[in-house]
Amino acid sequence: MTGQAILFDFDGTLVPNLDLADMRRQIADMAKAAGVPDEIYDGLYIVEIIEASQAWLSAQYPALANTAQAYAAASHQRINDIEMEAASNTVPFEGVRQVLGQLKDAGYRLGIVTRNCRAAVLTMFPDMDEFIDCLHARDDVAHLKPDPRHLQDNLDALGVGASAAVMVGDGALDMQAGRALNMRCVGVLTGSNNRQALIEAGATDVLADYRGLVTLLI
Ligand SMILES: [Mg+2]
């Protein structure tokens, strides 16, 4: 079993999900309040709304680059505030530590790849280091999933090739990112997607929750 890895998404996979819809609504409201038209950020994920809106504001009003920057800083701060508030009330699903321990004992290297911030992950899972070999949170990477480079950074740190690794997550973007690297992708139904959405996004297996990994992978 040595030389294999399992990469986990965090929210919706190892802990209950954040209210991402509400966070996105708040961030979109801030873009709207800054004067950014809907079509600039329609269909984008949360951090990407801020990037697209800041770029639009800077291009539209070159003399007001500071305003665009202040808008972006305030929006990033809002995300952090929401994440840290949620983290203070959230703990891992019951039995997560036991299952991670079993997978680790079976010889898997374990990673976490999340769009959440590092401080929030460590608040929810303070003893993470006992189980997880490497965390790549939002503040640790230049490219966020579904960009596969987010996962590749984690694989590189673990020293495991994509073909020997499994991506586990509740999100379509987890499956998309894993599939882009030809990883085996396992969807879990404890978050934001149903079985069909996960399969359409590239899941090779779909489990009710993380506990099924013991049977599937050991
Ligand atoms: Mg998730």
Side-chain angles (χ1 to χ4, degrees):
M1 206 62 79
T2 306
Q4 293 194 300
I6 305 171
L7 274 54
F8 290 92
D9 166 54
F10 196 63
D11 295 274
T13 299
L14 298 179
V15 300
N17 231 343
L18 283 164
D19 188 347
L20 292 172
D22 182 61
M23 193 197 294
R24 189 185 184 285
R25 196 155 40 239
Q26 291 193 42
I27 295 303
D29 284 349
M30 290 178 79
K32 191 188 284 288
V36 182
D38 294 2
E39 60 264 29
I40 301 302
Y41 52 82
D42 255 1
L44 296 181
Y45 295 118
I46 295 167
V47 173
E48 289 79 355
I49 292 176
I50 304 172
E51 291 170 350
S53 297
Q54 183 180 10
W56 184 86
L57 286 166
S58 301
Q60 209 71 13
Y61 311 108
L64 299 177
N66 287 343
T67 307
Q69 207 161 18
Y71 148 78
S75 297
H76 282 294
Q77 187 60 53
R78 176 73 65 90
I79 294 178
N80 273 282
D81 291 347
I82 295 169
E83 287 170 341
M84 292 307 292
E85 163 71 23
S88 68
N89 300 310
T90 304
V91 296
F93 290 126
E94 191 182 350
V96 155
R97 289 174 174 87
Q98 188 193 344
V99 166
L100 292 177
Q102 283 178 276
L103 295 169
K104 194 175 169 70
D105 289 347
Y108 286 100
R109 304 268 289 153
L110 304 182
I112 291 176
V113 285
T114 176
R115 291 171 59 101
N116 207 331
C117 67
R118 175 168 277 267
V121 173
L122 294 175
T123 297
M124 290 181 266
F125 196 3
D127 51 339
M128 181 198 75
D129 280 350
E130 291 177 32
F131 306 93
I132 299 296
D133 297 295
C134 191
L135 162 68
H136 279 91
R138 181 173 69 251
D139 24 352
D140 298 319
V141 296
H143 307 280
L144 292 171
K145 60 184 184 181
D147 189 316
R149 285 174 287 189
H150 190 163
L151 277 52
Q152 189 64 58
D153 284 351
N154 197 257
L155 290 169
D156 290 346
L158 294 174
V160 176
S163 61
V166 182
M167 177 67 208
V168 181
D170 71 297
L173 54 78
D174 299 314
M175 303 297 99
Q176 291 158 2
R179 188 172 59 174
L181 297 175
N182 287 317
M183 292 170 70
R184 181 177 182 183
C185 295
V186 179
V188 288
L189 298 172
T190 40
S192 52
N193 284 278
N194 62 25
R195 177 178 301 272
Q196 189 187 346
L198 288 166
I199 286 173
E200 283 171 8
T204 35
D205 306 271
V206 177
L207 302 170
D209 60 48
Y210 65 91
R211 290 175 296 188
L213 294 169
V214 174
T215 311
L216 189 68
L217 300 178
I218 296 180

